[in-house]
Amino acid sequence: DTGVSQNPRHKITKRGQNVTFRCDPISEHNRLYWYRQTLGQGPEFLTYFQNEAQLEKSRLLSDRFSAERPKGSFSTLEIQRTEQGDSAMYLCASSPGGGPYGYTFGSGTRLTVV
Amino acid sequence: AQSVTQPDIHITVSEGASLELRCNYSYGATPYLFWYVQSPGQGLQLLLKYFSGDTLVQGIKGFEAEFKRSQSSFNLRKPSVHWSDAAEYFCAVGAFLGNEKLTFGTGTRLTIIP
């Protein structure tokens, strides 16, 4: 069990550029979640997958955001035309199933838009 | 809709002293409740969780929490804090009834003084 891995750890980008983050969940976990955490706040739910199916998306996930989980393994979160308000920590978590398991979080990707 | 309130933004305690972090939740049915800890620049680590049964829950690192339905509270306690406990602590509530997201509080930052 190598835990949830997120890459890159840090990303600095210019406003208007596109960025993509990757999350590798714990291998036997079929559920994968993306959260966003801004400074001084708790994580906010963005979206989640069960295997390759994206089952829920938050209203926070504007049209500039897209997430995929091809083949139900790793996931990517892409932000197009980044804005300064996108600066945040993007956290990925996985769990072995619905119900009372709790998540295992990755260390996150810190995005800074300049 | 579910919500979590952590009324204390910042708490300072002396090393060796006892600790209680407050958490109040709002949810229409029996909630699933969690406490996570986050060190600077890191992801979240699960300390403990409550789903049903005994209202006093034991977690890792010597932490415990008590679920009080009448007060809609799930306070985190530790009898004697260590300098390594300095971190941000988040309470979260989940429903897991066709809705797999967790709703987090805004967190309590814990500072330990020698």
Side-chain angles (χ1 to χ4, degrees), chain A residues 12-66:
Chain A
I12 300 175
T13 190
K14 293 183 178 179
R15 187 162 47 96
Q17 298 294 304
N18 299 343
V19 294
T20 300
F21 312 139
R22 177 176 170 127
C23 172
D24 288 272
I26 294 172
S27 58
E28 61 268 27
H29 287 186
N30 64 4
R31 282 166 166 77
L32 185 148
Y33 312 83
W34 285 99
Y35 282 74
R36 181 172 68 186
Q37 184 180 21
T38 53
L39 204 60
Q41 299 297 314
E44 295 175 292
F45 171 80
L46 292 178
T47 188
Y48 94 93
F49 294 83
Q50 180 175 331
N51 300 312
E52 66 274 13
Q54 188 174 20
L55 296 186
E56 186 175 350
K57 293 171 60 174
S58 163
R59 286 171 294 179
L60 292 175
L61 216 63
S62 74
D63 291 344
R64 296 184 298 105
F65 288 71
S66 62

Side-chain angles (χ1 to χ4, degrees), chain B residues 10-113:
Chain B
H10 184 205
I11 285 182
T12 300
V13 298
S14 299
E15 190 169 15
S18 63
L19 170 71
E20 183 169 26
L21 302 182
R22 295 184 291 165
C23 172
N24 293 97
Y25 69 90
S26 174
Y27 181 61
T30 300
Y32 297 113
L33 294 161
F34 305 83
W35 275 99
Y36 285 87
V37 60
Q38 185 178 36
S39 298
Q42 299 298 313
L44 285 81
Q45 181 183 23
L46 180 66
L47 287 176
L48 47 78
K49 55 193 174 189
Y50 169 80
F51 306 121
S52 64
D54 193 347
T55 57
L56 185 63
V57 180
Q58 302 296 320
I60 63 171
K61 304 185 179 186
F63 285 94
E64 67 178 26
E66 186 171 13
F67 170 62
K68 293 185 177 181
R69 184 188 300 276
S70 61
Q71 298 177 18
S72 298
S73 69
F74 188 56
N75 293 349
L76 182 71
R77 301 194 294 248
K78 187 170 184 177
S80 176
V81 297
H82 185 261
W83 65 265
S84 60
D85 293 325
E88 189 92 19
Y89 290 80
F90 292 95
C91 181
V93 62
F96 295 109
L97 294 175
N99 176 349
E100 301 228 349
K101 69 179 183 181
L102 290 183
T103 299
F104 286 83
T106 52
T108 297
R109 182 161 60 94
L110 176 64
T111 298
I112 309 294
I113 56 176

